Amino acid sequence: EVQLVESGGGLVKPGGSLRLSCAASGFTFTNAWMIWVRQAPGKGLEWVGRIESKSDGGTTDYAAPVKGRFTISRDDSKNTLYLQMNSLKSEDTAVYFCTTDPSTMGGVNYWGQGTLVTVSS
Amino acid sequence: SYELTQPPSVSVSPGQTARITCSGDALPKKYAYWYQQKSGQAPVLVIYEDSKRPSGIPERFSGSSSGTMATLTITGAQVEDEADYYCFSTDSSGNHRVFGGGTKLTVL
């Protein structure tokens, strides 16, 4: 059974940091390009950033609102994806999902259940 | 930054055809993907690479793309198809992904 399980969400003060994890199982994580997506309360989906597989170069890219503050990384030995979030702002409050990049898996697409990050004083 | 534009809402009666559009300047050269998201759930991919249907997605879901517009069509929409639908694609550089603003489909 395929699973993506996010963890690490919670309440953090503005300016603070948080690291989210996404544990993958049931598919070949090493070959997967991965994406972080967020959804603010009552709002639409927003692409946060992506990371290629290491065999394809491991390149990362980020959406403009998070570039320079967020960092995506992966540990293929642990089948885990990470999102390091620094200098958090209230507008970063959202449910954060990890998902496979649909452009690289031929119609196969997996999502986690999401983890809530609340940035508030 | 690159944007994909969708209508905020579409409403049809059960059995009618629902069409949801997505416009973006890079769509002539980049694939569109479509997600369905029901309340409180993670999104589900219903169309990939403009017009392909993933395994398990009902045949009433289809996709097309022409010029700067991609379209998701639900032929014979059912009440259970009520959801938010998002298009997803890539900017011209191929590096940045983007979601459309989402379309709320009402079937009643």
Side-chain angles (χ1 to χ4, degrees):
Chain A
E1 180 194 7
V2 171
Q3 280 197 311
L4 289 173
V5 180
E6 300 97 338
S7 60
L11 176 64
V12 61
K13 289 182 168 53
S17 298
L18 211 56
R19 188 177 82 156
L20 306 183
S21 299
C22 169
S25 60
F27 68 101
T28 307
F29 178 77
T30 301
N31 295 340
W33 292 26
M34 299 297 296
I35 289 174
W36 283 99
V37 175
R38 67 184 181 183
Q39 187 167 35
K43 302 296 184 183
L45 301 175
E46 181 183 18
W47 177 75
V48 172
R50 71 174 186 113
I51 186 167
E52 297 176 349
S53 64
K54 282 195 166 62
S55 62
D56 287 322
T59 298
T60 54
D61 288 285
Y62 301 92
V66 308
K67 191 171 184 178
R69 299 188 298 124
F70 289 13
T71 302
I72 298 172
S73 61
R74 63 192 300 158
D75 185 339
D76 289 347
S77 69
K78 295 182 180 179
N79 283 352
T80 301
L81 176 73
Y82 300 102
L83 179 64
Q84 177 66 45
M85 303 185 294
N86 299 330
S87 303
L88 282 161
K89 307 174 182 180
S90 58
E91 51 263 43
D92 295 320
T93 293
V95 174
Y96 285 74
F97 297 96
C98 63
T99 178
T100 53
D101 189 328
S103 69
T104 61
M105 295 183 71
V108 175
N109 185 231
Y110 307 125
W111 286 73
Q113 82 289 349
T115 186
L116 176 63
V117 172
T118 303
V119 184
S120 174
S121 55
Chain B
S1 61
Y2 184 52
E3 293 184 354
L4 295 173
T5 302
Q6 298 180 233
S9 63
V10 168
S11 182
V12 298
S13 299
Q16 288 189 328
T17 296
R19 293 183 180 85
I20 300 172
T21 58
C22 171
S23 64
D25 290 341
L27 289 178
K29 294 187 176 181
K30 300 298 181 184
Y31 285 127
Y33 300 77
W34 290 93
Y35 286 97
Q36 175 194 70
Q37 187 182 34
K38 296 183 179 180
S39 182
Q41 298 181 18
V44 173
L45 185 69
V46 295
I47 293 291
Y48 70 103
E49 294 179 1
D50 290 345
S51 59
K52 299 176 182 177
R53 199 170 48 248
S55 175
I57 300 301
E59 290 185 7
R60 63 180 180 273
F61 289 88
S62 63
S64 62
S65 187
S66 178
T68 59
M69 185 169 288
T71 303
L72 172 69
T73 301
I74 308 172
T75 304
Q78 301 184 6
V79 173
E80 59 262 36
D81 298 331
E82 273 206 353
D84 294 321
Y85 290 86
Y86 297 89
C87 61
F88 176 82
S89 188
T90 304
D91 69 0
S92 56
S93 75
N95 296 326
H96 288 249
R97 312 295 192 251
V98 64
F99 285 96
T103 299
K104 182 175 182 60
L105 175 66
T106 301
V107 182
L108 54 74

